Each structure stands twice: as C-alpha cells, then as structure tokens.
Amino acid sequence: LLRSSQPLTGPNRRRCREDEQLLGTILDEGERGFIIDTRSAQAAKQARMGGGGTEPKSSYPQWRRLHRALERGRPLQESFIKLVEACGELSMERWLARLDSSRWLSHVKAALSTACLAAQCLDREGSHVLVHGAEGTDTTLLVTALAQLILEPSCRTLQGFQGLLEREWIQAGHPFQLRCARSASSHARGKQEAPLFLLFLDCVWQLSRQFPCSLEFGEQLLLTLFDNAYASAYGTFLCNNERERSVLCKVKESTHSLWAWLNQPQEKHKYLNPLYSHNPLVIWPSVEPQSIQLWQGLFLRWIRPSQHLDEAWEEIQRLVKGK
Amino acid sequence: FHPVSLLQVENVKLLDRYASRRAASGTLYLTATHLIYVDASAEVRKETWILHHHISSVEKLPLTTAGYPLLIHCKNFHVAHFVIGQERDCHDVFTSLLKLSQPVKPEELYAFSYNPKMSKENREMGWKLIDLKLDYQRMGIPNSSWEITDINKDYEVCSTYPPEIVVPRAATKAVVMGSSRFRSRGRIPVLSYLYRENNAALCRCSQPLAGFSARCLEDEQMLQAIREANPGCPFMYVVDTRPKLNAMANRAAGKGYENEDNYENIRFKFIGIENIHVMRSSLQKLLEVCEMKSPSMSDFLTGLENSGWLRHIKAVMDAGVFLAKAVREERASVLVHCSDGWDRTAQVCSLASLLLDPFYRTFKGFMVLIEKEWIAMGHKFSHRCGHLDGDPKEVSPVFTQFVECVWQLMQQFPCSFEFSERFLLEIHDHIYSCQFGNFLGTCHKEREELRIFEKTHSLWPFLLQRKQELRNPLYRGFTAYKELQPNTLPFSFQFWCGMYNRFDKGMHPKQCVLDQLLSCVSQKVTLEDNASELENKLPLLDGPVPSAGCTSAKAGAAAATAPTPPQDCAGGAAPVLSNGPSLGHQQHKESPAQAQDLGASREDGQAQHQ
C-alpha cells in the first residue's frame, strides 16, 4: 500500500522518468498495480489546469487507475456543520431529511467503501496499490489508514492503533492545525478547515460497531482523540507536519506527548475494549446503509443523557472481568 | 427426511440479495407445515425453513436464464428468492404455497395439529402460567375503589372483553350496562393499570356513540366514578389517540369523542396516531426500502423518511410517555381510547405500563402485559396478522409497532429489561406462526368457542424454558430502575435492522456482543458454582468428604442453564439471529419443527470471523 500526492502532469502532459521508474520498481515484470485516485475522473482531469493531474496510461502502463471521489475541504466542513445543526431537529421528517442532506453518512460510506477497495486489491487480487488525491494529506490518509485497520490485526491493538495514527496521520503530514481549528460551531470562513480526521474516527467507530470484539480500544479513545485534535494539553497533534513540529515549534522539547499520558496504566484501562480478542483475519465492513449508523456518542454527546449507556458499559466490563 | 413431504423439487437455487450466479443447487421440500430448502452442496448442510403461516405473498417473477423465479415474502420480513429449474415444478410449488399459506378455517391452523411430546397436565399448566388476577392483586386490587367484576362472564356487557374486568366499585350494574350501550362495541371504560404510589389509574375503552350531541348519563357517571376513585387529583384526562380530523369525521357516523362540557372535570386531548391503513401502507414502504439492492445512503434515508415509519413509532412512544407522565407527575387518572379501543389503545396503554412499572420489563411481567392488554382485551390478532384468508384491509402491523417501541426503549435503557431483543423477535414470530393458541382468534370468547385452551399449547412455557438464551445479560435487576423516561427527540429512534433486515446476514455486526456476554454469564455461573462447591467442602476437610452424588442445588441449576432443547418438547423454537449472525456455514431455521428427526445439525451460534 503506497501513498503520494498527485503527479504534476499539467496541461502539457509533462512526464517524469524518475517517477515512472520509481513506480516501475514496485511492480514485477507483467504484474499489475492499482492507483486509487480519491478525486472524481473529471476533477482529476481538471486538476491539470492547475498544474496537477493523473498518471497517463501510456507512461504507467502496468498501473490501472480507479477513481473514487471522496469529499474533502469546504464541502466536508459544510457537511459536518449541517449534521451538527440537524441534531436539534424536533420533527422526524425534517430530521431524516436534514440527516440526508448533510450527506455526512454518505461520506462515511464512501470512505469505508474506498478503503475496502484498497484492501481488496491487496488481499484478494494480491496487487500493489497506490493511493493519492490532490495533496496526499487528506483523503489519501483516510483511505490508507482505514485500509490498514481492515487488513492488519496489529493495527487494531491499542499500541498498533497509536502507531497507525502516528504514521498515517501525524508523520504523513495531515495539516491538523489548519484542519482542526474551529470545529462545527464556527462560522469563520477558514478555507483550510475540514473534518477529515473526524471522518476517519467515525469510520473507525463504524468498524468497532460491526466488529465489537476486534478492536482493542473502545469509543472513549476515539472521543479523546477527537477532543485532542482540536484542543489539547499535549503536543502530539500540534502543527501541520514534522518539519513544523521539530524545527518551528520544537514540540518534542517543549510539550508532553498524548501517547505517554494515555498509556499510563491508570489511564489506559479507560480506553480498552473489554470484549477484545485477537482476530487474525481481515475484517470486511458492510457498507450497506443499514450497517452505517450515526455516531451518537460523538454527535449527540452533549444533547442526550448518557447515564444509562454508561451503566451498560460498566455492566459489560463487570461481566467480562468477572469471567 | 422424516416429516412427510407433500412435494419435493430438485434443482432449486436460493439467491441472496446480490443474486449471485454462483448459488448452489438444492432441493425444495413442502411439508404440511413448512417449506424446507436444503443445500447439501457444501461440506456443511444448510437448511432454510419457512413456516407456511409466515408466508404473506408468493410471486412468480419473469423467466431468467437461470430458471423460473419464485419470490416469497414473509410476515416476519424474510424474503426468499428461489429459482426453480423446471416450469412445471415452479408452478406446482406456487399453487401449493398459495393454498398452504392461506388457511380458510381456524381448524387448519398449525396450533391444532402441533403436538410436542408433553403430558396433558403440563399442557394445561402451561395455560395457567399467566394469571391476570395475580397482576391485579399486585396492584392492590380488589381494594376500596376498584373491583374485579364478573359482570361480563356471559359477555353481556361486551363480547370482545374478557369475562372478568376491573371497574370502579362505585359503578353500579346499571352504570356499567348503560355505558356499554354508549360505547362502540360495548367496550366500556375498564382499568388497565393502577399506579399504587398515588392511586392514579390508567383506563381504556372505545369511542363514545356521541355523534354531534348525544349524551349518556351512565357513561358520564362511569367516568365520574373513575375520577373519584382517585381523590388525589380533581380532574382526569380523556385521551383520544386518533388525529382530530378522523375523530371528528366519526361524529357524522354517530360516534366521535367526549364533549368536555358534558363530563365533569375532564381534560380532553387528541394525540394523533394514524389508523391501521396508514400504518399498513407505511410498513409496506419501509419494506420496499429494506429490499432495495445496494441503495445509496441517500436512497435509504429518503426512503425511510417517505415511509413515515419512524414518525409513527415516535407518535406511539410520545403517547405512552404522555400517559405515564400524567399518571406519575400530575397524579391524574387517564382514560384512553381510539375508535374501537383495541389497536392504538392497546399500544399506548401497554407502553405506559411498561414505562411506569419495572415488573412489566421482566419475562413474566411482559407476558402478563401482552396477555392482559392485547390478548384479553381483544386485539384482533387473527385479522391484524392475516391468519386466515380474509380482508386484507384488516391486516396492520399494530403489534409490530408496540414491539418496536419496546426495542427502542431497550436501546436507550440497556440495563432495564430482563429480556433481550431475541425474546421480542420470538414473540413477534409467533403472533404469525399460529403454532400456539395464545394469538389465535380475536377475543377471549372466540378462543373459548374454538376450544383453544383444550386443544392447543400456550407459548409462554416454551419461551420461559429458553430464558438463558433470551435474557439480557446487562439486566440490573428489578429494583435498579423504577420508571423509564425516554428521550423522544427524532434522533433517539433508530432503524431496527434486526427486525426489518433480520435475514440479511451481511448487514448485521459480524460479532455478537449478546452471545459473548451470555457466555460470560453462564461461564460465571459455572465458575461460581464450582467455587461454592469447593467452599462447601472446606469445613469438612477434617472429616469425611461428601459423596460424589451430593452436588449443590446451584451447580445442578447451572448445568441446566446451558441452552439445549428440552427433551419433552420436540418443537424448540429456532435460534433467532439478531445483531450478529455468524458467518460461514450455518443452518437457518425459521421456525421449530421436529429438529431431531431431521438429523440436521443445529446452528452452533459461534461467532466466526471472516
């Protein structure tokens, strides 16, 4: 599973031998690979006008390109805002209509489907996969991180998941500071604000609902990560990339790590899933609408009482530990 | 294959929702009671059972390259898509199923031929398991204000009420009889539930025959008697669960609703739950959504919205909440009716009781609730569930909606019910299965005429025997929660995949939390019993060790709690798949049958990871 940003093909169909060679070394003689472009075919084509574009078939003959348009940027932020606002709706008809028009759950479905596609290429076809969108910092990471959760049991442990986050989001350069500035309540026209990381966490939650015994961590971890991405006492999610963290802000010297805090024994237990048992197999989520649910624990967190659900969680822990 | 099969057809494929061409060929059998499809192609034999009574429609679809398709829709929302190799066979199956799924006379119903190996005494005891008098006693009745009267023992007051009803002591025979002449079908106001904490009573009846201006002194006296039985509140509510327009339209037919001017100290209120025809249509639309092949999220949500289904569920829930609140907080008695007082009235009264009283959230209590508010009080199960070939306009998912309201409550209050979703699905299956006598007919009088209590079995003992698999492992006990106060904002209502897409295994979570927790519980019980057995031996260490035959009562009970089919009941109900069917090879039985005779290996309920 590889990731990158878009090739700078441009309107004049530039070529780059080194790039072609690089991708060439990955595939053996006669082998085929897949490129999953997270933009629509049309958007990808239009990107050429701005100097970007797609890998032309003639230059990359062993690679087959698939387009799976995933929402990003301002439209995704709007989707998020619409959903949050819909939650206060009093009429059932309008609630369902607003839930639908927010399109949030459609984005969840699309993200999971694309991740499944990448995972299928690897697992079922035995092919290499390259994932990219435009910048390689948003929908690209969404797909690669989810695909690894689907395929790789070690990513589903508490340790492994933290490693996945470090690798596929933080070090890969998802611009947290730009994306997670103000969340849903802000009406600031920040063009860079977009809840990709939240969408990722939502998809992880969907996986945990469909495979309640296969993730070593529970919903509480996902909520904590969401909180810390936006506002944190820890340096882990600061800045936009490794360069800013090390050179500009000297994060490692001047802040504490979220992981260090989370992994302390007295904290860790809150984040573990009592039903977890190691599942060595690939976990294929269903992307039927009936299988995808609104993440109530996040979106309704402050508008509905959680007492009974907390008690249920305690009961589950009690039952499992009593074993 | 031991049960006598009326028809056997080879070269039949059962397609899943993705209609994959690679479906294996199997054999279709029709017995007197079931359709059984056997796929013996893989290592593990797979069986699909469909009870004829569950079939609501059979359609021949246009010919395809694979063969002659037959689409079967079931009342429990199972949809089976068969493709039969030969046209003649397809036609034979089609005509047989049409006949088998539409019995004409009550005697043709399964309950009259169902014969598990059970003694006569046990069968009779099964019918005595639920005693409504005990529930009234639990409420403190009879007391100074309320009595259980047998005035209806010959159905003189109301032919669709049970022989024993609870009325205010102050209501004389004249009042009762007079009121019965003023109420649609004689369904006078009677007690549903008495809230002992403050003496507020939940009562039910049918619409008054008020027309535009008719009055009835006795009926007014009846309501007065109800109100005065609760001195703690100067007024009482009269709640009409219909939309105002419908109720008003009824006035033109000489029926209608209570005029606040004629009845002292009542506060009248419309709640606006739609009628059985709207609900039937709503469910139909919902099921169309559920059957969509690979819909987008938007298709699904729009379809869900257009069906109106969750809106109706919310309306029923809101009504139950209103009643419970009136009783609990305003200390006011409430009299509820719809048109005939056997559909919406049953839903909201039983729901309100459940919200108020934790007893109804136990196994026994829920059975009592159904026996009381639905069966005894004359909900027309036979018509609403289409048991016999009758008027399709009488069919409506009224009980289904009630069951869903209970499920919605379980989502909000996961530790408050002694039973799990599986229990609800079992009961729901059986209102259509006609395997047991409880839901046959339309009222007590009819059940007596059909001699249900002599000729059929009661469902309840069979379900109680399977408590261990139908229970809720998170139940915190009877005293943990008193009343439930659910949130009824739209987001609180979820789509019940386990009911409406129950048989679409791919849609459900792949691992079943319920099973995991149940096995923790039973392991825990075994360990505890082992521990106490060992503990019992400690004081005797210096003395003789107890003999091997001396096991503690609890250990014996623990051994019996592993879910195995009881020996004297050949028809143990099939395990219901909810929230986490296992993948891989499994049998899928719709309905009990002589399971042991068929030699089919039972579903092992192990969650298998893909």
Side-chain angles (χ1 to χ4, degrees):
Chain A
L1 181 62
L2 302 137
R3 52 175 158 79
S4 69
S5 56
Q6 65 180 323
L8 299 174
T9 318
N12 299 321
R13 295 175 193 270
R14 263 204 311 254
R15 284 182 70 165
C16 171
R17 303 256 171 240
E18 290 88 341
D19 192 78
E20 290 164 33
Q21 273 181 334
L22 184 58
L23 284 186
T25 59
I26 293 159
L27 296 178
D28 291 336
E29 188 72 43
E31 240 192 347
R32 259 197 350 171
F34 290 96
I35 299 175
I36 296 179
D37 190 323
T38 61
R39 303 165 294 180
S40 67
Q42 200 190 28
K45 202 168 161 195
Q46 272 173 354
R48 277 175 33 205
M49 298 308 133
T54 58
E55 296 82 350
K57 186 83 190 157
S58 46
S59 317
Y60 300 83
Q62 284 173 279
W63 294 88
R64 201 180 137 205
R65 187 158 28 92
L66 305 169
H67 286 275
R68 292 290 183 273
L70 294 181
E71 197 68 271
R72 77 205 67 211
R74 188 74 213 158
L76 190 66
Q77 179 67 9
E78 295 289 355
S79 171
F80 178 35
I81 294 173
K82 275 187 173 170
L83 174 58
V84 169
E85 289 175 354
C87 291
E89 181 57 63
L90 299 173
S91 138
M92 183 64 79
E93 247 81 49
R94 283 201 297 276
W95 155 246
L96 290 170
R98 289 175 72 177
L99 182 60
D100 178 34
S101 82
S102 78
R103 296 192 50 77
W104 181 261
L105 294 178
S106 305
H107 300 320
V108 170
K109 180 174 172 10
L112 283 171
S113 300
T114 310
C116 280
L117 175 65
Q120 273 167 352
C121 292
L122 288 155
D123 185 69
R124 300 259 168 94
E125 306 285 322
S127 298
H128 300 290
V129 179
L130 168 65
V131 182
H132 71 74
E135 300 304 298
T137 54
D138 293 278
T139 54
T140 304
L141 307 181
L142 181 59
V143 173
T144 58
L146 283 176
Q148 287 176 64
L149 272 170
I150 288 169
L151 291 165
E152 185 54 60
S154 63
C155 291
R156 301 181 219 135
T157 62
L158 183 59
Q159 287 293 90
F161 186 63
Q162 291 172 42
L164 181 71
L165 291 170
E166 265 290 325
R167 219 171 43 245
E168 295 301 311
W169 285 91
I170 296 170
Q171 290 176 20
H174 178 70
F176 279 97
Q177 198 237 327
L178 292 170
R179 298 283 180 268
C180 301
R182 297 226 175 263
S183 190
S185 316
S186 144
H187 295 282
R189 298 272 150 223
K191 280 194 190 154
Q192 294 289 330
E193 177 96 37
L196 270 309
F197 189 59
L198 169 59
L199 184 56
F200 168 70
L201 294 174
D202 195 327
C203 291
V204 177
W205 182 80
Q206 305 290 342
L207 282 175
S208 76
R209 213 189 63 85
Q210 296 195 27
F211 296 92
C213 305
S214 297
L215 299 182
E216 197 186 14
F217 48 91
E219 184 180 51
Q220 194 49 52
L221 179 68
L222 302 176
L223 292 170
T224 302
L225 290 168
F226 170 72
D227 291 339
N228 280 277
Y230 284 91
S232 181
Y234 302 90
T236 306
F237 288 102
L238 287 181
C239 305
N240 292 302
N241 50 55
E242 284 298 286
R243 196 185 125 262
E244 284 182 18
R245 270 172 222 118
S246 56
V247 173
L248 269 174
C249 299
K250 300 207 191 322
V251 157
K252 290 208 167 103
E253 289 91 320
S254 34
T255 69
H256 292 274
S257 156
L258 178 64
W259 309 135
W261 173 70
L262 275 181
N263 290 313
Q264 295 174 97
Q266 67 267 33
E267 287 300 317
K268 200 169 160 178
H269 70 95
K270 297 179 197 165
Y271 303 105
L272 290 173
N273 170 17
L275 296 170
Y276 172 67
S277 78
H278 173 72
N279 179 358
L281 302 170
V282 177
I283 55 173
W284 298 107
S286 158
V287 296
E288 300 277 5
Q290 290 92 324
S291 306
I292 296 173
Q293 283 190 5
L294 177 67
W295 185 6
Q296 295 209 347
L298 184 114
F299 293 103
L300 307 179
R301 195 171 173 191
W302 312 112
I303 56 180
R304 61 133 202 215
S306 66
Q307 179 209 348
H308 286 95
L309 300 166
D310 294 338
E311 284 169 3
W313 189 239
E314 280 164 30
E315 275 306 308
I316 292 177
Q317 305 214 294
R318 213 182 50 83
L319 267 179
V320 176
K321 279 172 189 152
K323 183 153 81 142
Chain B
F1 216 73
H2 294 215
V4 175
S5 66
L6 309 173
L7 196 58
Q8 177 176 338
V9 179
E10 305 290 341
N11 191 18
V12 177
K13 291 185 179 359
L14 173 59
L15 303 186
D16 62 16
R17 69 174 19 236
Y18 308 106
S20 50
R21 305 247 184 92
R22 291 174 287 129
S25 259
T27 310
L28 192 69
Y29 300 87
L30 292 188
T31 71
T33 51
H34 290 80
L35 175 161
I36 308 168
Y37 175 75
V38 180
D39 171 5
S41 63
E43 260 179 39
V44 182
R45 173 193 169 99
K46 260 168 81 172
E47 291 184 6
T48 304
W49 288 60
I50 299 178
L51 187 62
H52 295 318
H53 286 324
H54 272 166
I55 296 175
S56 79
S57 76
V58 195
E59 289 166 68
K60 281 187 187 174
L61 297 181
L63 170 63
T64 67
T65 49
Y68 297 86
L70 212 56
L71 187 62
I72 299 174
H73 282 88
C74 296
K75 297 170 183 175
N76 62 355
F77 318 123
H78 190 182
V79 181
H81 184 175
F82 291 106
V83 179
I84 300 177
Q86 309 280 45
E87 183 176 23
R88 185 60 200 268
D89 289 334
C90 182
H91 186 71
D92 286 344
V93 173
F94 176 70
T95 48
S96 303
L97 284 178
L98 278 183
K99 185 160 177 294
L100 289 163
S101 64
Q102 287 291 358
V104 172
K105 295 181 306 214
E107 294 74 44
E108 294 174 57
L109 295 173
Y110 188 11
F112 292 100
S113 55
Y114 174 58
N115 186 18
K117 299 177 183 61
M118 184 184 274
S119 72
K120 183 165 177 284
E121 292 79 41
N122 278 346
R123 192 195 63 80
E124 282 169 11
M125 259 174 52
W127 282 110
K128 299 201 170 74
L129 194 67
I130 304 295
D131 182 348
L132 298 184
K133 271 222 183 74
L134 289 178
D135 196 44
Y136 292 125
Q137 261 176 42
R138 206 178 53 83
M139 296 179 213
I141 296 169
N143 62 18
S144 53
S145 305
W146 297 92
E147 60 174 355
I148 307 178
T149 171
D150 65 355
I151 192 178
N152 198 40
K153 68 175 167 14
D154 296 316
Y155 307 104
E156 275 181 19
V157 177
C158 171
S159 63
T160 54
Y161 269 179
E164 286 179 332
I165 47 180
V166 177
V167 296
R169 229 174 248 290
T172 62
K173 180 165 178 178
V175 164
V176 170
M177 298 308 295
S179 177
S180 81
R181 287 188 286 271
F182 193 64
R183 290 279 166 182
S184 174
R185 306 188 197 274
R187 292 173 68 86
I188 57 161
V190 295
L191 182 98
S192 171
Y193 179 72
L194 180 65
Y195 192 57
R196 287 185 87 165
E197 277 76 348
N198 60 22
N199 286 315
L202 186 54
C203 300
R204 57 183 290 183
C205 60
S206 61
Q207 64 183 324
L209 302 176
F212 287 100
S213 59
R215 288 182 71 159
C216 168
L217 183 62
E218 290 89 350
D219 192 73
E220 291 165 29
Q221 287 171 337
M222 184 60 144
L223 267 66
Q224 182 183 359
I226 291 174
R227 179 175 49 80
E228 289 175 351
N230 176 20
C233 187
F235 70 94
M236 71 182 266
Y237 278 107
V238 175
V239 171
D240 189 329
T241 58
R242 298 170 293 181
K244 185 169 181 180
L245 268 173
N246 298 39
M248 284 171 67
N250 266 280
R251 282 194 302 185
K255 302 175 206 174
Y257 54 95
E258 293 80 353
N259 185 339
E260 266 179 339
D261 296 334
N262 298 342
Y263 293 84
E264 256 179 37
N265 294 321
I266 69 163
R267 283 191 201 169
F268 186 84
K269 193 174 152 69
F270 284 111
I271 296 226
I273 302 173
E274 301 287 352
N275 66 32
I276 57 166
H277 309 294
V278 173
M279 301 311 191
R280 182 177 58 248
S281 160
S282 176
L283 178 64
Q284 186 51 42
K285 293 200 187 124
L286 178 72
L287 295 175
E288 283 165 19
V289 174
C290 296
E291 271 182 77
M292 292 195 292
K293 307 276 189 260
S294 302
S296 70
M297 198 72 215
S298 199
D299 291 335
F300 177 74
L301 288 173
T302 308
L304 188 58
E305 179 202 335
N306 288 341
S307 76
W309 182 257
L310 289 179
R311 174 166 65 86
H312 300 311
I313 298 291
K314 174 172 158 56
V316 174
M317 187 74 91
D318 280 333
V321 167
F322 175 81
L323 298 186
K325 201 160 171 221
V327 160
R328 193 188 64 245
E329 284 176 24
E330 295 186 73
R331 316 172 70 87
S333 290
V334 189
L335 175 63
V336 188
H337 69 77
C338 43
S339 296
D340 294 317
W342 50 40
D343 291 312
R344 289 163 278 195
T345 303
Q347 288 175 326
V348 308
C349 286
S350 42
L351 199 55
S353 304
L354 195 86
L355 290 172
L356 288 166
D357 192 332
F359 172 64
Y360 298 122
R361 297 174 228 137
T362 62
F363 274 103
K364 200 76 183 295
F366 196 66
M367 295 173 179
V368 166
L369 189 65
I370 295 176
E371 279 284 340
K372 186 159 61 88
E373 297 300 325
W374 292 85
I375 295 173
M377 294 303 287
H379 175 73
K380 301 193 298 179
F381 279 102
S382 177
H383 296 186
R384 296 287 177 262
C385 302
H387 289 167
L388 302 173
D389 194 17
D391 182 0
K393 290 210 161 53
E394 285 283 304
V395 174
S396 189
V398 180
F399 189 76
T400 307
Q401 287 182 327
F402 164 67
V403 168
E404 175 161 352
C405 287
V406 180
W407 181 81
Q408 299 285 355
L409 286 173
M410 285 178 177
Q411 305 317 295
Q412 288 196 40
F413 304 102
C415 303
S416 304
F417 290 81
E418 192 185 17
F419 44 86
S420 73
E421 176 188 59
R422 284 191 190 148
F423 183 62
L424 295 180
L425 292 171
E426 282 289 326
I427 294 175
H428 190 261
D429 268 353
H430 282 300
I431 64 166
Y432 295 104
S433 77
C434 300
Q435 184 176 350
F436 298 93
N438 311 66
F439 304 107
L440 300 189
T442 59
C443 59
H444 196 266
K445 178 163 183 273
E446 194 182 336
R447 278 172 217 118
E448 277 181 346
E449 285 161 5
L450 292 170
R451 297 169 61 205
I452 299 289
F453 308 105
E454 296 159 50
K455 294 180 166 185
T456 70
H457 291 261
S458 167
L459 171 63
W460 308 127
F462 290 87
L463 288 184
L464 280 176
Q465 265 167 346
R466 297 172 51 214
K467 239 177 165 173
Q468 289 316 313
E469 47 172 297
L470 300 175
R471 57 185 292 197
N472 170 17
L474 301 180
Y475 182 52
R476 275 193 160 186
F478 185 79
T479 50
Y481 305 101
K482 184 109 195 355
E483 58 268 342
L484 299 183
Q485 294 182 53
N487 188 330
T488 62
L489 284 173
F491 60 67
S492 308
F493 296 90
Q494 296 177 38
F495 168 73
W496 190 3
C497 192
M499 169 72 105
Y500 305 107
N501 277 113
R502 181 171 165 196
F503 301 97
D504 288 299
K505 297 160 193 173
M507 284 183 191
H508 301 280
K510 305 296 190 298
Q511 293 151 358
C512 182
V513 177
L514 183 56
D515 282 333
Q516 293 271 335
L517 296 176
L518 286 176
S519 91
C520 283
V521 169
S522 72
Q523 276 186 41
K524 188 173 167 218
V525 168
T526 315
L527 287 172
E528 279 173 353
D529 290 328
N530 289 345
S532 62
E533 219 187 307
L534 291 170
E535 267 174 16
N536 286 339
K537 289 183 181 161
L538 281 175
L540 300 169
L541 270 178
D542 294 332
V545 172
S547 65
C550 166
T551 52
S552 75
K554 268 178 83 185
T561 58
T564 51
Q567 284 314 302
D568 60 348
C569 303
V576 163
L577 300 177
S578 67
N579 245 19
S582 43
L583 288 177
H585 307 294
Q586 57 183 352
Q587 283 84 53
H588 172 204
K589 291 197 184 108
E590 276 258 0
S591 201
Q594 286 69 25
Q596 295 92 315
D597 295 337
L598 295 165
S601 49
R602 290 188 72 91
E603 186 174 317
D604 67 346
Q606 286 296 314
Q608 288 172 14
H609 310 304
Q610 186 159 13

